[in-house]
Amino acid sequence: MREKMMSRVIIENVLPEIDGGKFSIKRVPRQKVVVRADIFTDGHDALTAILLVKAPGRQNWDEIPMRFLSNDKWEAFFRVSELGVYKYSVWASVDLVSTWQNDLRKKFEAGQDVRLDLAVGRGILKTIIGKVKEEDRNILKTFLEIINKGDVTRAVASCLEKDILSIAKKCLDLKDGVVYDKELTVSVERPEAGFGAWYELFPRSCGLGAAKPGTFKDCIALLGEISRMGFSILYLPPIHPIGQKNRKGKNNATSSLPEDPGSPWAIGSASGGHMSIEPSLGTIKDFERLVREARKVGLEIALDLAFQCSPGHPYIKEYPEWFKKSPDGSIQYAENPPKKYEDIVPFNFETRNAQELWEELRNIVLFWVHKGVKTFRVDNPHTKPFAFWEWLINQVRSEYPEVIFLSEAFTRPKVMYRLAKLGFSQSYTYFTWRNTKREFTEYLTDLTQSQIKEYFRPNFWTNTPDILPEHLQYGGRPAFIARFILAATLSSNYGIYGPAFELCVSEALPGKEEYLNSEKYEIKHWDRDKDGNLKDIITLVNKIRKENPALQETNNVKFCEVDNDNLLFYMKATEDFSNVLLIIVNLDPYHAQSGWVRVPISELGIGNDQQYLVVDLLSRDRYFWTGERNFILLDPIAMPAHILRLHHRVRRETDFDYYL
Amino acid sequence: MREKMMSRVIIENVLPEIDGGKFSIKRVPRQKVVVRADIFTDGHDALTAILLVKAPGRQNWDEIPMRFLSNDKWEAFFRVSELGVYKYSVWASVDLVSTWQNDLRKKFEAGQDVRLDLAVGRGILKTIIGKVKEEDRNILKTFLEIINKGDVTRAVASCLEKDILSIAKKCLDLKDGVVYDKELTVSVERPEAGFGAWYELFPRSCGLGAAKPGTFKDCIALLGEISRMGFSILYLPPIHPIGQKNRKGKNNATSSLPEDPGSPWAIGSASGGHMSIEPSLGTIKDFERLVREARKVGLEIALDLAFQCSPGHPYIKEYPEWFKKSPDGSIQYAENPPKKYEDIVPFNFETRNAQELWEELRNIVLFWVHKGVKTFRVDNPHTKPFAFWEWLINQVRSEYPEVIFLSEAFTRPKVMYRLAKLGFSQSYTYFTWRNTKREFTEYLTDLTQSQIKEYFRPNFWTNTPDILPEHLQYGGRPAFIARFILAATLSSNYGIYGPAFELCVSEALPGKEEYLNSEKYEIKHWDRDKDGNLKDIITLVNKIRKENPALQETNNVKFCEVDNDNLLFYMKATEDFSNVLLIIVNLDPYHAQSGWVRVPISELGIGNDQQYLVVDLLSRDRYFWTGERNFILLDPIAMPAHILRLHHRVRRETDFDYYL
């Protein structure tokens, strides 16, 4: 009871806090964590508040003073630097020194008798003097002498010295205050979790000869080209032996011809399972060489975690209890009625042998981690238990905090968000189906302006082997370019499935958003240098992303006004506004569109009459703009977007020719 | 680990939930608690969810099936009936029967082979048959026979029977699912916490002779009049002995004349303290008679809990350690620099003897509870520790759940809300300073549309002895009437300080929102029947409140459109729309204002061309309206408001003369 009596200070509504502190927020090194809390007490006493931060593995709290904003809200921030889990909490207490100074000031200004307040102050000063170091002690003693001398005006002036407060704050004791009742956590991952350009590629389609399927060696030959385009991650669909039983034919046919290679997601055959390599691709040594060679040109290999088996997977015989049986004793294949996946058998995560199964799946991840793979794209995580992923990610991260997991959960929003909360580094999104200005604005506002931004890192994909979105089927090359620029500039993480993307492949199954003659079921022989390919624009945009830190964050997107619904206008800027990009995309792939943009000049510190220079990083065109409203015309055939970099400097008379 | 593995279902975002379940939501008997939660699992399995409810003192959960809304959101509600604390939580599990039925239906409709699914169904039915009562068992056996016969179409039809699902739900076992990890609570208070009209009165001003101060006996003589006006609670400022030392004179003068009665909030003298009666008012027996007589005419007496002392309070000598000492050894009086309250000494809630102090203050409350007082207006709760109030209210309520506490905390919003969360039944609000349409709309939307509505019950006061708001100083009688109607119809709980209010007293201290010659410092001799008094309109509005259940709730207010910013238009309706009021108030006390209202007819089930009758409960005027848009003209001199009751019935040809 006594402790409760003394806890006069209330700390509530601490943000960010996900589900009452059950989950971590996410950051990469150098990012800020801005913490806000409502802090108040009864009566009129002044308060002092501290943000407590503990870096991974540390024993003690770092203390960061919080500043009062308004309406009982306080704020402070810290920057993370180390991988692992940071903790943070909030401490607060009544600030006796400020309370006394405030009261004294008000009474003195009202001409009231302050002798008792001076006496109170003497007591406070003496207490502090007993706790501080010599230098500070001498400062306080000087004040105390003036107070003791009896000249009230001079005494009050001494009492109100800011030094008293700052010295008093040095000897705060955390025991004398209230600590928020939760320790909140930040999961800090390596920088690549926050910024990356993904390229998805089927190794078997990398062969140079028309008849020969591609191998890892052919992949190695392509690394230079992919790296030159500016990608950072090369993601491969499953590279494991493909099942023979119920193998799918072209266009997902339920029967296959002998020459059909099958879907790479039907994992497992007599040649092995999730820890083996499809023999036609090469050997485990070839794969290890691919990982090494990729690293040399700045590329990281990402693998696919597809936790399911072909009916011929060795597990089916070794661990029959890991699978569900039909009443006729057969093993149940995967289905989402009326859809059937005859070439795939799901694991039964509710089996009595679940622990054994979970541990084997963890060992698969660790196997590839030991081969140098530190990034995984996880296939359909929403069809396996949440608790499994939470356990798996924690198990892997506790030993290898650098491992990145991308959640391929094209499902309902709350399921996607839950997977992100429990630990996935990045997530597929609905970007692929967002087309209009309103859709982009609402979706990005959800992702970047609500608490979702704290734990859900979007990865925007233009296309995938499963999805050829409608706008790419009908919009032609301008649509491909516009979608690419949108993905690559709205989100710091994005991906394309190539070469289908950069070759503008647009033939779909009739009435569906799926590729005709999908590479999932057959080997392709792409002419990567075909006329009209997008390699140059991809290379340029990836270069712009690397040179402009504003594009290396996602949550800094700010939508701005433009008086044409076919034009999307957004600003991306660094925290300090040293890098400001104004991006306008023409969403209409068929017609030139024009409009007047409203540049947020007041936020940018530009006066109404002040001229400023914007340079289009795509065309290198330069424009002198003035004021908020400026004219834009975008012809999609030439280039459906501007990426304008703001060059702005307060103009002084002496540097009139600054821009010349 | 095993348990975690099996918890496939996620329950999150359960609402209402205040601060992670730390505080209770509030209800009165017969009110609904609508509970929503996000519930989902991996994969495509169907779910079943149950709202668990435990009434006060019960051992077992009541189970209420939840219904699926959309986007993984589920909902159910319960109604409270008993005083005390209800608990609620949410249970969910995978619904094997629905999952099987859904899959079977989809496959059958797609023309697929369903023999294995029928076999699965046989197994499911056999399991259920083993758990249910005979009647249900026979139903299931009939289905099973049809399935066994082998006609697939008939078998499928039997499998899809709804009875199977409803019988299966009867034998759910809570052990086979997931329970939300918190038990949330509802504090149910007596109906008067939710609906009441307060009248504040200084007993010492009730004397009939001009020279004689009023007594409790004079109060008793007034009970009939106050009851006839329709009030339900008669609230008295402190009735305890008033201190002599530093007694305030007229208009808060720091020195008083011998005939000055002093402020009732300066409690304590040689005649006693918080458990005594100011001798000039009468005896404790007189007070008990007042409580009894009030009850006879339907009035409840509310007392003021002002936990502070005059410098002459007996506690000062008996318990000097309960007060703060100045450096000169004197006891510190209350101040909020530069304001001073020389006639008041605050308790030191941080004293080492805090437990003794807290218990004495609780005993004060219990003393008056034992005298029949069940409602308290708490003076300045925000200047005492939050933990104290939480403790005090719990202590009193555990024995007397019927006790109502009204928080007089005119302070910052988060402090007001915290006091409500920790247990205050009702709270003073900013209503007194809300004037414009935008201010009313925004403030009421905050109070009634956010989570605040779950724990903060507003009590709208037109005026108090401390506050004569500016609009009443300048707006004349029309302003008083408009403010009264706003308070009494926007909020189910409201209060006036009379007779200053119904006599339209408007003289203020220059430049302040305080009464000139405030009754706080002198005895008044009101002419309660003076020309222009508001007794009739008050009586009428209170009668309307009693006859219209839509006015007995606060959170049902809905603001509607009217094309004039001087007119405020809102609807109050019961849940079932059996009682619908359309209220329009002219906020301009000087001029007639007119406009076109937009009645939310589609919500009310009225067609665009349909005529409906509205009756003004203030004037008894009747209007036939049609469609959304209807014209309104309000002259503040005649009456600044309409309280229109909707009489609407779908018109059939046979009852064409329904309204005649």
Side-chain angles (χ1 to χ4, degrees):
Chain A
M1 184 171 172
R2 173 145 187 90
E3 196 189 326
K4 203 166 188 187
M5 283 181 180
M6 295 303 107
S7 304
R8 281 183 53 207
V9 180
I10 305 294
I11 302 171
E12 61 176 29
N13 195 22
V14 176
L15 289 178
E17 175 181 302
I18 309 304
D19 292 10
K22 202 183 286 173
F23 301 107
S24 297
I25 62 164
K26 297 193 172 86
R27 291 294 187 273
V28 296
R30 291 200 306 277
Q31 281 184 328
K32 259 184 176 179
V33 178
V34 180
V35 178
R36 291 184 170 194
D38 294 340
I39 305 175
F40 49 85
T41 186
D42 59 278
H44 316 286
D45 289 348
L47 297 179
T48 184
I50 290 174
L51 170 61
L52 302 173
V53 179
K54 209 181 273 184
R58 288 323 136 70
Q59 291 304 312
N60 297 314
W61 293 109
D62 285 335
E63 300 177 12
I64 300 161
M66 299 186 81
R67 72 192 176 100
F68 174 73
L69 300 176
S70 68
N71 193 14
D72 293 319
K73 180 120 359 237
W74 293 68
E75 181 187 274
F77 74 89
F78 62 101
R79 265 179 218 282
V80 298
S81 54
E82 300 167 41
L83 301 203
V85 177
Y86 280 68
K87 290 184 177 173
Y88 60 99
S89 195
V90 171
W91 175 95
S93 103
V94 168
D95 183 340
L96 291 175
V97 175
S98 288
T99 303
W100 159 67
Q101 288 184 326
N102 292 345
D103 287 359
L104 173 64
R105 182 183 301 110
K106 286 178 195 161
K107 288 188 192 177
F108 184 70
E109 284 168 2
Q112 297 175 1
D113 182 354
V114 296
R115 280 173 300 176
L116 280 180
D117 302 86
L118 292 176
V120 169
R122 271 194 292 271
I124 291 177
L125 283 177
K126 280 176 192 160
T127 310
I128 306 172
I129 282 172
K131 295 183 187 175
V132 296
K133 288 187 190 153
E134 193 179 352
E135 190 190 351
D136 289 338
R137 197 182 308 144
N138 292 336
I139 297 173
L140 296 185
K141 279 183 176 168
T142 314
F143 293 142
L144 200 53
E145 278 163 27
I146 298 170
I147 297 165
N148 285 333
K149 272 185 189 156
D151 176 328
V152 171
T153 306
R154 288 195 61 208
V156 169
S158 284
C159 287
L160 300 182
E161 286 283 353
K162 280 184 188 158
D163 282 354
I164 297 179
L165 193 60
S166 54
I167 293 171
K169 290 211 166 159
K170 286 185 200 168
C171 54
L172 281 179
D173 188 335
L174 291 191
K175 285 197 301 295
D176 298 333
V178 174
V179 181
Y180 184 57
D181 58 4
K182 289 173 203 142
E183 291 187 4
L184 305 170
T185 52
V186 192
S187 167
V188 181
E189 297 177 74
R190 60 187 168 103
E192 292 75 9
F195 175 58
W198 291 55
Y199 189 83
E200 178 173 3
L201 177 86
F202 283 76
R204 68 189 184 189
S205 296
C206 295
L208 292 177
K212 242 181 75 193
T215 64
F216 288 144
K217 283 183 188 137
D218 298 312
C219 274
I220 291 170
L222 278 178
L223 289 173
E225 180 180 327
I226 297 164
S227 161
R228 276 192 300 278
M229 280 198 279
F231 290 97
S232 54
I233 293 162
L234 175 59
Y235 147 55
L236 310 179
I239 56 173
H240 315 300
I242 296 172
Q244 282 291 350
K245 194 176 170 197
N246 294 344
R247 177 177 283 195
K248 296 284 180 122
K250 284 189 182 180
N251 287 312
N252 202 21
T254 46
S255 64
S256 60
L257 302 172
E259 67 268 28
D260 285 332
S263 159
W265 283 273
I267 297 170
S269 74
S271 307
H274 286 74
M275 299 191 213
S276 303
I277 299 280
E278 161 66 29
S280 64
L281 292 175
T283 64
I284 195 90
K285 288 223 170 307
D286 294 334
F287 176 73
E288 288 175 294
R289 209 186 124 223
L290 171 64
V291 171
R292 281 197 308 275
E293 294 297 320
R295 204 172 292 141
K296 285 185 192 160
V297 293
L299 275 171
E300 198 181 324
I301 299 293
L303 286 190
D304 197 311
L305 293 180
F307 285 156
Q308 59 200 20
C309 298
S310 93
H313 197 294
Y315 287 155
I316 308 260
K317 279 191 185 146
E318 283 173 58
Y319 305 102
E321 64 281 7
W322 288 358
F323 303 90
K324 266 193 194 145
K325 294 231 170 33
S326 290
D328 65 355
S330 67
I331 282 193
Q332 284 185 4
Y333 51 74
E335 56 180 4
N336 181 9
K339 280 197 235 171
K340 297 182 177 201
Y341 306 92
E342 296 88 345
D343 58 343
I344 291 173
V345 177
F347 289 113
N348 176 12
F349 283 86
E350 293 176 288
T351 169
R352 267 171 302 146
N353 306 66
Q355 180 153 357
E356 187 186 60
L357 169 63
W358 290 26
E359 284 172 0
E360 174 71 4
L361 297 177
R362 177 199 55 197
N363 292 344
I364 292 171
V365 181
L366 294 178
F367 176 86
W368 294 108
V369 169
H370 296 150
K371 301 283 173 236
V373 178
K374 301 297 167 68
T375 300
F376 297 92
R377 176 266 198 194
V378 178
D379 189 65
N380 274 337
H382 56 293
T383 60
K384 289 99 191 168
F386 298 99
F388 165 68
W389 293 118
E390 196 167 6
W391 174 86
L392 179 83
I393 293 172
N394 282 332
Q395 287 267 313
V396 175
R397 285 255 180 80
S398 64
E399 210 176 337
Y400 302 99
E402 71 274 25
V403 176
I404 290 173
F405 294 91
L406 164 62
S407 156
E408 187 250 4
F410 284 120
T411 180
R412 308 186 311 282
K414 280 157 194 168
V415 175
M416 296 170 70
Y417 295 144
R418 181 79 183 198
L419 290 164
K421 286 180 198 172
L422 63 80
F424 278 94
S425 320
Q426 302 182 357
S427 309
Y428 280 58
T429 68
Y430 302 141
F431 166 77
T432 319
W433 299 282
R434 293 295 178 270
N435 295 302
T436 66
K437 180 169 172 166
R438 185 173 160 183
E439 286 170 355
F440 281 118
T441 309
E442 285 180 359
Y443 188 50
L444 269 291
T445 301
D446 271 2
L447 294 186
T448 65
Q449 303 303 312
S450 73
Q451 285 291 294
I452 294 168
K453 73 175 174 188
E454 301 289 354
Y455 61 83
F456 183 90
R457 285 201 200 94
N459 191 324
F460 280 2
W461 285 77
T462 55
N463 65 327
T464 77
D466 296 312
I467 310 163
L468 172 60
E470 213 172 27
H471 43 261
L472 294 185
Q473 298 179 29
Y474 300 114
R477 196 172 181 271
F480 278 81
I481 297 176
R483 296 300 297 187
F484 181 77
I485 292 174
L486 286 166
T489 62
L490 281 169
S491 175
S492 57
N493 291 299
Y494 82 98
I496 67 171
Y497 149 56
F501 186 81
E502 69 263 29
L503 297 179
C504 303
V505 173
S506 59
E507 294 78 18
L509 288 175
K512 298 204 170 176
E513 290 197 315
E514 288 175 44
Y515 281 95
L516 180 72
N517 304 324
S518 167
E519 200 168 358
K520 288 194 287 182
Y521 312 105
E522 58 189 273
I523 293 173
K524 296 282 181 181
H525 300 280
W526 303 106
D527 174 4
R528 305 179 62 93
D529 296 312
K530 204 173 134 183
D531 263 7
N533 75 67
L534 305 181
K535 279 196 233 175
D536 287 349
I537 178 73
I538 289 172
T539 306
L540 177 57
V541 170
N542 277 333
K543 183 167 173 280
I544 293 170
R545 280 168 50 93
K546 283 180 189 158
E547 290 173 354
N548 288 274
L551 295 176
Q552 296 165 20
E553 299 259 346
T554 299
N555 295 332
N556 59 346
V557 64
K558 180 194 163 85
F559 291 96
C560 306
E561 211 184 303
V562 49
D563 60 353
N564 180 336
D565 276 349
N566 291 294
L567 296 176
L568 185 69
F569 173 26
Y570 46 100
M571 177 168 84
K572 300 268 286 192
T574 51
E575 217 173 275
D576 61 359
F577 289 99
S578 63
N579 182 231
V580 177
L581 301 180
L582 304 171
I583 301 170
I584 306 109
V585 181
N586 181 356
L587 302 175
D588 174 357
Y590 303 116
H591 306 100
Q593 295 284 349
S594 65
W596 290 83
V597 296
R598 171 176 267 167
V599 180
I601 53 170
S602 69
E603 194 178 330
L604 296 168
I606 301 174
N608 272 320
D609 303 326
Q610 205 174 345
Q611 205 177 55
Y612 51 97
L613 173 69
V614 294
V615 178
D616 188 346
L617 302 180
L618 293 170
S619 65
R620 305 310 299 175
D621 287 341
R622 293 161 170 250
Y623 306 90
F624 277 112
W625 278 3
T626 308
E628 283 189 325
R629 291 284 185 190
N630 291 280
F631 184 77
I632 283 290
L633 170 72
L634 284 168
D635 181 349
I637 304 301
M639 179 56 73
H642 284 312
I643 301 179
L644 302 171
R645 177 163 181 175
L646 174 70
H647 292 254
H648 160 252
R649 192 174 154 195
V650 176
R651 183 179 292 193
R652 298 188 200 83
E653 293 203 1
T654 48
D655 56 17
F656 209 81
D657 52 2
Y658 171 69
Y659 295 123
L660 305 180
Chain B
M1 181 169 174
R2 172 140 190 94
E3 195 188 328
K4 204 168 187 186
M5 283 181 181
M6 295 303 107
S7 304
R8 280 182 53 207
V9 180
I10 305 294
I11 303 172
E12 61 175 29
N13 195 23
V14 176
L15 289 178
E17 175 181 301
I18 309 303
D19 291 10
K22 201 183 285 172
F23 300 106
S24 297
I25 62 164
K26 297 194 171 85
R27 290 295 186 271
V28 295
R30 291 201 305 278
Q31 281 184 329
K32 258 183 175 179
V33 178
V34 180
V35 178
R36 290 185 171 193
D38 294 341
I39 305 175
F40 50 86
T41 186
D42 58 278
H44 316 287
D45 289 348
L47 297 179
T48 184
I50 290 174
L51 170 61
L52 302 172
V53 179
K54 208 181 273 182
R58 283 332 131 68
Q59 291 305 311
N60 296 317
W61 292 110
D62 285 336
E63 300 177 12
I64 300 162
M66 298 186 81
R67 70 191 179 102
F68 175 73
L69 299 176
S70 68
N71 193 14
D72 293 319
K73 178 114 13 230
W74 293 67
E75 182 188 272
F77 73 89
F78 62 102
R79 266 179 218 283
V80 297
S81 54
E82 301 166 42
L83 302 202
V85 177
Y86 280 69
K87 290 184 177 173
Y88 61 98
S89 196
V90 171
W91 174 95
S93 107
V94 168
D95 182 341
L96 291 176
V97 175
S98 287
T99 303
W100 159 66
Q101 287 184 326
N102 293 346
D103 288 358
L104 173 64
R105 181 183 301 113
K106 286 177 195 161
K107 288 187 191 176
F108 184 71
E109 285 169 2
Q112 297 175 3
D113 182 354
V114 296
R115 280 172 301 177
L116 280 180
D117 303 86
L118 292 176
V120 169
R122 272 193 291 272
I124 290 177
L125 284 177
K126 281 177 192 161
T127 310
I128 305 173
I129 283 173
K131 295 184 189 175
V132 296
K133 290 188 189 150
E134 194 179 352
E135 190 190 352
D136 289 338
R137 197 182 307 142
N138 292 336
I139 297 174
L140 295 186
K141 279 182 176 169
T142 314
F143 293 142
L144 200 52
E145 280 164 24
I146 298 171
I147 298 166
N148 285 333
K149 272 184 188 156
D151 176 327
V152 171
T153 306
R154 288 195 63 207
V156 169
S158 283
C159 287
L160 299 182
E161 286 283 351
K162 279 185 189 158
D163 282 353
I164 297 178
L165 192 59
S166 54
I167 292 171
K169 289 211 168 161
K170 287 185 201 169
C171 55
L172 279 180
D173 189 335
L174 290 192
K175 285 196 302 295
D176 298 333
V178 174
V179 181
Y180 184 58
D181 58 5
K182 289 176 205 143
E183 291 187 4
L184 305 171
T185 52
V186 193
S187 167
V188 181
E189 297 177 74
R190 61 186 169 104
E192 291 76 9
F195 176 58
W198 292 53
Y199 189 83
E200 177 173 4
L201 177 86
F202 283 78
R204 68 188 183 189
S205 296
C206 294
L208 293 176
K212 244 181 74 192
T215 65
F216 288 143
K217 283 183 188 136
D218 299 313
C219 271
I220 290 171
L222 278 178
L223 290 173
E225 179 179 327
I226 297 164
S227 161
R228 276 192 300 279
M229 278 197 282
F231 289 98
S232 55
I233 291 161
L234 175 59
Y235 148 53
L236 310 179
I239 55 173
H240 316 300
I242 296 172
Q244 281 292 350
K245 195 178 168 194
N246 294 343
R247 176 177 282 193
K248 296 284 181 119
K250 284 189 179 178
N251 287 310
N252 202 20
T254 46
S255 63
S256 60
L257 302 172
E259 66 268 27
D260 285 333
S263 158
W265 283 272
I267 296 170
S269 76
S271 308
H274 285 75
M275 299 191 213
S276 303
I277 299 280
E278 161 67 27
S280 64
L281 292 174
T283 64
I284 196 91
K285 287 222 172 307
D286 294 336
F287 176 74
E288 288 176 294
R289 210 187 121 222
L290 172 64
V291 171
R292 282 197 309 276
E293 294 298 320
R295 206 173 290 142
K296 285 183 193 163
V297 294
L299 275 170
E300 198 181 324
I301 299 294
L303 285 189
D304 197 311
L305 292 181
F307 285 155
Q308 58 200 22
C309 298
S310 93
H313 196 294
Y315 286 156
I316 308 261
K317 278 191 185 146
E318 283 173 58
Y319 305 102
E321 64 281 6
W322 288 359
F323 303 91
K324 265 192 194 146
K325 293 231 170 35
S326 290
D328 66 354
S330 66
I331 283 192
Q332 284 185 6
Y333 53 73
E335 56 180 4
N336 181 8
K339 279 198 238 172
K340 297 181 175 200
Y341 306 91
E342 296 90 344
D343 58 343
I344 291 173
V345 177
F347 289 112
N348 176 13
F349 282 86
E350 292 178 288
T351 170
R352 267 173 300 147
N353 307 65
Q355 182 154 355
E356 186 185 60
L357 168 64
W358 289 26
E359 285 171 359
E360 173 70 5
L361 297 177
R362 177 199 55 196
N363 292 343
I364 292 171
V365 180
L366 294 178
F367 177 86
W368 294 107
V369 169
H370 296 148
K371 301 286 174 231
V373 178
K374 299 298 168 68
T375 301
F376 296 91
R377 177 266 199 193
V378 178
D379 190 66
N380 274 337
H382 57 293
T383 59
K384 290 99 192 167
F386 298 99
F388 165 69
W389 294 118
E390 197 166 6
W391 175 85
L392 178 83
I393 293 172
N394 281 333
Q395 287 268 312
V396 175
R397 286 254 178 81
S398 64
E399 209 176 335
Y400 302 98
E402 70 274 25
V403 175
I404 290 172
F405 293 91
L406 164 63
S407 155
E408 187 250 4
F410 283 121
T411 180
R412 308 185 312 281
K414 281 158 192 167
V415 174
M416 297 170 71
Y417 296 144
R418 181 80 183 197
L419 290 164
K421 286 180 198 170
L422 63 80
F424 278 94
S425 319
Q426 301 181 357
S427 310
Y428 280 58
T429 68
Y430 302 141
F431 166 77
T432 320
W433 298 281
R434 292 295 178 271
N435 295 302
T436 66
K437 180 169 173 165
R438 185 172 160 184
E439 286 170 355
F440 281 118
T441 309
E442 286 181 358
Y443 188 49
L444 269 291
T445 301
D446 271 1
L447 294 185
T448 65
Q449 303 303 314
S450 73
Q451 286 291 295
I452 294 169
K453 73 175 173 188
E454 302 288 355
Y455 61 84
F456 183 90
R457 286 201 199 95
N459 190 322
F460 281 3
W461 285 77
T462 55
N463 65 327
T464 77
D466 296 313
I467 309 163
L468 172 61
E470 213 173 25
H471 43 263
L472 294 186
Q473 298 179 29
Y474 300 114
R477 197 171 181 272
F480 278 81
I481 297 175
R483 296 301 297 188
F484 180 77
I485 292 174
L486 286 165
T489 62
L490 282 169
S491 175
S492 57
N493 291 298
Y494 82 98
I496 66 170
Y497 149 56
F501 186 80
E502 69 262 29
L503 297 178
C504 302
V505 173
S506 61
E507 294 78 18
L509 288 176
K512 298 202 169 176
E513 291 198 315
E514 289 176 43
Y515 281 94
L516 181 71
N517 304 324
S518 166
E519 200 168 357
K520 289 195 287 183
Y521 312 106
E522 58 190 90
I523 293 174
K524 295 282 181 182
H525 300 281
W526 302 106
D527 173 4
R528 305 179 63 91
D529 295 312
K530 205 174 134 185
D531 263 7
N533 76 67
L534 304 180
K535 279 196 234 175
D536 286 349
I537 178 75
I538 289 172
T539 306
L540 176 57
V541 170
N542 277 333
K543 183 167 172 282
I544 293 170
R545 280 169 50 94
K546 283 179 190 161
E547 290 172 354
N548 288 275
L551 294 176
Q552 296 164 20
E553 298 259 347
T554 300
N555 295 333
N556 60 346
V557 65
K558 181 193 163 86
F559 290 95
C560 306
E561 210 183 303
V562 49
D563 61 352
N564 179 337
D565 276 348
N566 290 294
L567 296 175
L568 185 69
F569 173 27
Y570 47 100
M571 178 168 82
K572 300 269 285 193
T574 52
E575 218 174 274
D576 61 359
F577 289 100
S578 62
N579 182 232
V580 177
L581 301 180
L582 304 171
I583 301 170
I584 306 108
V585 181
N586 180 356
L587 302 175
D588 174 357
Y590 303 117
H591 306 100
Q593 295 284 349
S594 65
W596 290 83
V597 295
R598 171 174 267 168
V599 180
I601 54 170
S602 69
E603 193 178 331
L604 296 168
I606 302 174
N608 272 320
D609 303 324
Q610 204 174 346
Q611 206 177 53
Y612 49 98
L613 173 70
V614 293
V615 178
D616 188 347
L617 303 180
L618 293 170
S619 66
R620 305 308 301 175
D621 287 342
R622 291 161 170 251
Y623 305 91
F624 276 112
W625 279 3
T626 308
E628 282 189 328
R629 290 284 185 191
N630 291 281
F631 183 75
I632 283 291
L633 170 72
L634 284 167
D635 180 350
I637 304 302
M639 179 56 75
H642 284 311
I643 301 180
L644 302 171
R645 178 161 179 176
L646 174 70
H647 291 254
H648 161 251
R649 194 173 153 195
V650 175
R651 184 179 292 195
R652 298 189 199 83
E653 292 202 3
T654 49
D655 57 16
F656 208 79
D657 52 1
Y658 170 70
Y659 296 123
L660 304 181

